[in-house]
Amino acid sequence: MSVALPDRRPARRQRGIATLEFALMLMFGLLPLLLVTYSGVMIMAVQQTLSAASAEGARAAFRHATPGERRTAACLAARRSMQWLLTYAKQTPDCATAGAPPITVSTPTPCADLPAVQCIRVEVSYDYGAHPFLPGTGRVYGWVMPKPLRSTAVSQLDLGGN
């Protein structure tokens, strides 16, 4: 009676399969997850920057006297606060008029709740679809964010009749 030895050829064909599976999981599993996480964190950073820029613009509008000076000061302060975004998007807003995105400063108008009081509205925006941080994510996030990211702040300019 002879004992048959196991065939070692199938074991040789299995050599390296774990490495191949790891490489595929890394490429198709972990890297996309990391890229989506990174772009999500960057979108949150953009929104935080926009919030700070609109608030800085509204504060600057409060400190100056004439309406023209208030609008220019608000635009300049917002531009300073979001300079890294403007540099990345290759945008240079015109603070002389301050009437077009990415930085829009309204003329002093009556406030919505208190018509006797003048308010200025500072709105800043960033179009992630046109300037994504990772190529291709503009389209991916386009269905979630069809419009540019925005932040608005309103500054009450006077106490109205005091």
Side-chain angles (χ1 to χ4, degrees):
M1 181 186 254
S2 68
V3 178
L5 295 174
D7 189 12
R8 295 201 178 257
R9 280 186 260 165
R12 285 186 180 194
R13 279 191 263 159
Q14 293 292 323
R15 195 181 291 176
I17 196 69
T19 304
L20 179 63
E21 288 173 352
F22 177 76
L24 289 173
M25 283 304 297
L26 182 69
M27 198 166 58
F28 295 114
L30 188 60
L31 287 179
L33 180 65
L34 290 174
L35 293 175
V36 167
T37 302
Y38 169 77
S39 61
V41 167
M42 290 305 294
I43 289 170
M44 287 175 36
V46 167
Q47 189 60 54
Q48 187 65 26
T49 299
L50 294 176
S51 294
S54 64
E56 286 298 317
R59 273 189 219 101
F62 183 71
R63 288 181 274 209
H64 294 275
T66 68
E69 288 174 344
R70 289 177 192 259
R71 289 185 75 202
T72 302
C75 180
L76 291 172
R79 187 170 73 183
R80 272 191 308 276
S81 276
M82 61 184 286
Q83 189 59 52
W84 74 274
L85 279 175
L86 296 171
T87 301
Y88 181 77
K90 296 179 178 86
Q91 293 177 319
T92 35
D94 180 20
C95 285
T97 59
I103 301 173
T104 306
V105 182
S106 71
T107 57
T109 57
C111 296
D113 297 339
L114 301 167
V117 178
Q118 294 289 306
C119 286
I120 240 178
R121 178 183 173 121
V122 179
E123 184 175 303
V124 293
S125 62
Y126 181 77
D127 189 0
Y128 188 81
H131 307 287
F133 293 109
L134 292 173
T137 57
R139 284 191 177 150
V140 171
Y141 285 114
W143 61 274
V144 177
M145 302 179 307
K147 296 180 181 177
L149 297 167
R150 296 184 192 288
S151 182
T152 304
V154 178
S155 180
Q156 181 178 320
L157 302 178
D158 56 34
L159 300 176
N162 284 2

